[in-house]
Amino acid sequence: MDSAGTEYTGIMDEYGNIKVPIKYESIIGENVLYMVKLNNLWGAYNKTGECIIPVIYEDIACQITEDMLRVKSKQKWGFVDLRNNILIDFQYDMACNFYEGKAYVKIGTSKFCINYQGKKIDSSNWDLEFCSEDIDLVTNFANQFEEHRLAVKLVKGKFGVSNIKSNKIIIPYEYDEIGTHFNNTILV
């Protein structure tokens, strides 16, 4: 905690070795990738404690899909690899993670799918009202709940959980943190 009362967090392994420095406002993830937040910007560390994505992005997906990470810069979404090389430029108002070689994106009112090169491959045959990454434009974490069709969201500074398909609130937005899902239990 600093003199202003701000609490910081980091990650230490079972041997007492610091994997992620104790200087971040928030850390999300475990074992493979840790998303870190500092001064309202996001970055990522890998499981060995190496900072692989610098803390420069307005938002970040909490899920690696098809060796890409979705990140937001200057109010636009793009895709980087795990060395922060830009693979698809920042141009989308909304972007879903890649699945089977394509990602659903929006530019203004245009909705379409792109391939790994960022090329439009079809107009949207899908009529998605939202994808899990588009539930809340301020902050949304697609994470370990996906297989259960749930998504963690941060609304007005508090975490909760909603159903991806119906957007029904499962856990009210009143928690400072939400942890992992295991054996039908969610750590809050």
Side-chain angles (χ1 to χ4, degrees):
M1 185 178 305
D2 66 11
S3 60
T6 304
E7 290 187 24
Y8 295 100
T9 188
I11 296 180
M12 182 183 300
D13 68 18
E14 64 270 20
Y15 305 107
N17 301 312
I18 301 290
K19 291 176 85 173
V20 177
I22 304 168
K23 66 178 189 177
Y24 296 102
E25 298 158 3
S26 182
I27 298 177
I28 298 171
E30 58 183 53
N31 300 330
V32 176
L33 196 64
Y34 302 100
M35 308 310 171
V36 297
K37 181 180 179 185
L38 182 63
N39 299 322
N40 290 318
L41 296 175
W42 290 90
Y45 281 76
N46 64 17
K47 66 182 178 182
T48 65
E50 175 188 9
C51 183
I52 59 171
I53 306 293
V55 182
I56 60 173
Y57 295 108
E58 296 162 10
D59 206 347
I60 192 167
C62 290
Q63 188 176 58
I64 303 166
T65 57
E66 302 185 27
D67 295 324
M68 293 188 211
L69 196 56
R70 190 176 43 84
V71 292
K72 188 175 189 180
S73 180
K74 298 179 183 168
Q75 298 299 310
K76 299 291 180 180
W77 289 98
F79 296 85
V80 298
D81 66 13
L82 297 181
R83 291 276 167 223
N84 198 42
N85 297 308
I86 297 171
L87 301 176
I88 300 174
D89 203 14
F90 302 94
Q91 58 186 309
Y92 306 105
D93 297 318
M94 188 278 291
C96 293
N97 291 334
F98 271 86
Y99 178 71
E100 295 183 351
K102 54 178 159 175
Y104 180 81
V105 296
K106 290 181 187 177
I107 297 177
T109 58
S110 297
K111 304 174 194 176
F112 51 95
C113 293
I114 58 170
N115 64 15
Y116 295 134
Q117 291 76 39
K119 303 280 187 221
K120 181 177 177 179
I121 54 176
D122 61 35
S123 295
S124 179
N125 296 337
W126 307 343
D127 188 22
L128 297 180
E129 293 299 316
F130 59 87
C131 56
S132 63
E133 300 86 359
D134 194 30
I135 293 172
D136 175 10
L137 295 177
V138 176
T139 307
N140 177 343
F141 304 109
N143 62 17
Q144 72 271 6
F145 300 105
E146 182 176 334
E147 67 217 42
H148 302 285
R149 309 307 298 155
L150 302 177
V152 173
K153 297 191 319 183
L154 182 65
V155 176
K156 296 182 181 176
K158 296 292 183 178
F159 286 96
V161 176
S162 63
N163 180 286
I164 289 172
K165 188 170 182 174
S166 69
N167 209 17
K168 178 182 176 188
I169 296 171
I170 306 300
I171 296 176
Y173 303 107
E174 55 189 42
Y175 297 96
D176 294 327
E177 293 183 26
I178 287 189
T180 58
H181 175 261
F182 178 73
N183 200 21
N184 293 321
T185 303
I186 299 173
L187 176 66
V188 294

